[in-house]
Amino acid sequence: MSNDRPVYMGPRLRRLRRDLGLTQANMATDLDISPSYVALIERNQRPLTADMLLRLARTYRLDMATLASDNGSDTIARLQTVLKDPMFADVDMPAIETADIVNGFPGITEAFLRLYTAYREEHLALADQGAEGPGGESAPADPVAEARRFLAARRNNFPAIDDAAEVLAAAVADAGGLVAYLRERHKLRVRRLPSDVMGGAMRRFDRHRDEVLLDDTLDNASQTFQLALQLAYLDLRGVVDAPMAGSRFTTANGERLTQKALASYAAAAILMPYTAFARAAERRSYDVEALARQFGASFEQVAHRLTTLQKPGDNYVPFFFIRVDPAGNVSKRLDGAGFPFARHGGGCPLWSVHQVFRRPREIVTQWIELPEGQRFFSIARTVTAGGGAFGAARVERAIALGCSAEHAARLIYTRDPLSPGPDTATPIGVTCHLCHRTHCTARSAPPIGRTVLPDDFRRASAPFGFSDI
């Protein structure tokens, strides 16, 4: 930095002063300047010259590079991401103005970001308030919905966890793997025991014997994930719990489920570090099976991890993810692509995720179109949990991973010349109650607001006939 080049960094100086526990008068005395000059610098009415920057570094023993660096870049990226919300579509906010706001008014920026997150949580809570209990009273609080709202409000992306996990993953690699790291860093031995000895547990941390015990019927990907999960609880507990600070949970179970989800997020980030995984995903055109082999993970673990690649300023294809059982029950739902999942009731039976049970382990691709005309591309496949030994219980589920049509060309699954294109999109609805495609033969319930016609004289091919008005 040249000595004659002024820099305006008032808010950063104010934060530094407060972090040091100093008043403006205290800092003025330390720097041999007047309190009014400190106030002018903090209000960006005077520049912080290179000479003053050197004086700060010497007086408070600070790294000048750190003091002069642009620490607001992450906040700028976060604000730009928030401003992409359709709610702000008619607001003209050039990038230079966003940077000015972050640098000039960091407190207001942080307040706005917190307020937006709270708005997202309340918005999603209202969407979930559709079910009523007996007699019309409000249904009891749903801890699963509460955890889902928490993740959805933050777009299932937690940069601080990703950053900490990336550092930890490098340490694990240097140690020679998870087993070696747990032995060297925590003096823990990893043992694999039969299911009957484990007593129904996949993993157990035995503090008295300094052991991590694993069910030996788990496949390699599951064993590795369980070790990474245990490591997340040991080394990243503070980072994992931090996103929950200040959040209000109406149920203890909702809070616990959220903590479990964040710990699993950290475990996946250890096994598939953000930077390396994101670059590999782009290089392999989001080929889930190829990524699973590269990172020693399962198909489902990779699909799940792909939904998290939305770090502000370093984001990739936004995906949505859903996991269902043969009865249509949703056991996991994550959205980073703006897909309108049904909050209550079943999904659309025309979506391939409900049909792949007839084609186990085969990837089925599909273009889908919502009633409003939005098009998405999805892949669906069955996955198996459990098993591992003769007679062991197995659970078959189906997962779907998808993105909006504008990103589909980046996926390897759309490049097969024999595959149908977006013009062949299957018309689906979010759920029958909200879908007004009256001629759908797969309909299970009439849409809200439509009058069902009697079938005394005419029976339509669709399950219900409706009036035109």
Side-chain angles (χ1 to χ4, degrees):
M1 180 183 297
S2 144
N3 283 344
D4 59 357
R5 183 182 177 186
V7 177
Y8 291 91
M9 51 197 320
R12 206 175 309 168
L13 180 65
R14 187 186 305 118
R15 286 199 303 273
L16 170 65
R17 177 175 60 77
R18 290 174 176 173
D19 289 344
L20 293 171
L22 301 174
T23 65
Q24 289 181 343
N26 296 148
M27 178 168 277
T29 300
D30 292 343
L31 299 176
D32 195 22
I33 57 178
S34 68
S36 61
Y37 188 53
V38 174
L40 290 172
I41 294 175
E42 289 187 354
R43 292 198 296 268
N44 274 346
Q45 293 177 343
R46 291 290 187 276
L48 185 65
T49 62
D51 177 69
M52 187 59 63
L53 190 61
L54 286 168
R55 199 180 302 186
L56 276 166
R58 285 196 302 265
T59 302
Y60 299 113
R61 297 182 181 180
L62 301 171
D63 182 348
M64 192 170 68
T66 301
L67 182 62
S69 65
D70 184 10
N71 294 324
S73 58
D74 288 345
T75 305
I76 292 171
R78 286 173 61 202
L79 183 59
Q80 289 174 336
T81 299
V82 166
L83 292 174
K84 291 178 182 178
D85 190 293
M87 177 171 59
F88 305 118
D90 59 342
V91 178
D92 183 19
M93 185 68 72
I96 190 170
E97 289 188 17
T98 306
D100 287 344
I101 290 171
V102 172
N103 293 324
F105 307 97
I108 291 176
T109 302
E110 183 61 30
F112 172 78
L113 292 171
R114 291 185 188 179
L115 187 63
Y116 177 79
T117 300
Y119 153 77
R120 286 275 301 167
E121 287 184 320
E122 293 301 319
H123 181 76
L124 292 166
L126 288 173
D128 282 332
Q129 290 175 1
E132 293 184 342
E137 72 273 13
S138 296
D142 182 350
V144 174
E146 195 168 27
R148 286 175 179 169
R149 286 197 300 270
F150 179 92
L151 298 175
R154 293 155 181 82
R155 301 181 187 277
N156 193 37
N157 178 250
F158 301 91
I161 296 179
D162 279 314
D163 292 343
E166 204 156 16
V167 173
L168 182 54
V172 169
D174 289 342
L178 285 164
V179 174
Y181 182 88
L182 287 167
R183 182 177 61 250
E184 295 175 12
R185 174 71 174 81
H186 295 284
K187 311 303 180 188
L188 295 173
R189 182 171 61 148
V190 176
R191 294 180 63 199
R192 295 165 177 82
L193 300 175
S195 296
D196 56 345
V197 177
M198 291 296 292
M202 290 192 297
R203 168 184 51 84
R204 186 160 62 86
F205 180 25
D206 189 333
R207 292 181 178 273
H208 300 290
R209 294 185 173 86
D210 292 329
E211 293 178 335
V212 179
L213 308 177
L214 297 174
D215 185 334
D216 66 4
T217 63
L218 294 175
D219 58 31
N220 288 336
S222 298
Q223 289 191 26
T224 304
F225 185 84
Q226 288 303 318
L227 290 178
L229 184 57
Q230 187 64 68
L231 183 56
Y233 282 122
L234 289 170
D235 284 9
L236 300 180
R237 171 74 75 170
V239 179
V240 167
D241 290 344
M244 299 173 61
S247 296
R248 293 176 293 122
F249 292 90
T250 58
T251 66
N253 283 342
E255 186 171 7
R256 292 191 187 104
L257 288 173
T258 302
Q259 186 184 53
K260 286 182 62 177
L262 291 174
S264 294
Y265 184 107
I270 293 170
L271 298 179
M272 294 169 273
Y274 193 96
T275 302
F277 181 75
R279 302 296 186 271
E282 277 285 309
R283 187 172 62 253
R284 293 183 178 274
S285 302
Y286 299 89
D287 187 327
V288 179
E289 290 174 302
L291 289 168
R293 288 186 175 88
Q294 179 175 343
F295 288 90
S298 70
F299 187 93
E300 181 177 347
Q301 288 167 0
V302 169
H304 191 292
R305 181 62 170 150
L306 285 172
T307 69
T308 69
L309 301 183
Q310 296 303 305
K311 182 186 289 188
D314 187 23
N315 52 330
Y316 298 83
V317 172
F319 286 101
F320 62 83
F321 172 99
I322 191 171
R323 187 179 70 188
V324 301
D325 65 18
N329 298 307
V330 177
S331 53
K332 190 177 290 184
R333 185 180 67 205
L334 300 163
D335 181 30
F339 189 81
F341 288 112
R343 300 291 176 185
H344 303 286
C348 181
L350 299 179
W351 190 9
S352 60
V353 69
H354 300 288
Q355 303 165 10
V356 292
F357 292 102
R358 298 195 296 264
R359 302 163 66 177
R361 314 294 286 184
E362 178 183 344
I363 294 178
V364 176
T365 64
Q366 185 183 31
W367 287 92
I368 52 180
E369 181 178 303
L370 297 176
E372 295 80 12
Q374 303 159 279
R375 287 182 177 174
F376 295 86
F377 178 80
S378 78
I379 66 169
R381 203 198 84 164
T382 59
V383 294
T384 305
F390 181 76
R394 299 173 187 268
V395 178
E396 291 289 331
R397 299 187 181 97
I399 62 173
L401 181 74
C403 66
S404 62
E406 63 182 296
H407 300 290
R410 296 167 66 180
L411 276 58
I412 196 169
Y413 305 102
T414 62
R415 298 176 185 173
D416 183 351
L418 301 179
S419 296
D423 293 338
T424 64
T426 302
I428 72 167
V430 177
T431 186
C432 287
H433 286 299
L434 301 178
C435 179
H436 287 269
R437 289 192 171 102
T438 57
H439 299 292
C440 177
T441 57
R443 177 176 292 283
S444 62
I448 296 171
R450 296 301 296 268
T451 301
V452 179
L453 294 176
D455 60 358
D456 303 42
F457 298 100
R458 180 177 179 274
R459 174 64 167 85
S461 57
F464 306 94
F466 305 98
S467 61
D468 292 332
I469 56 173

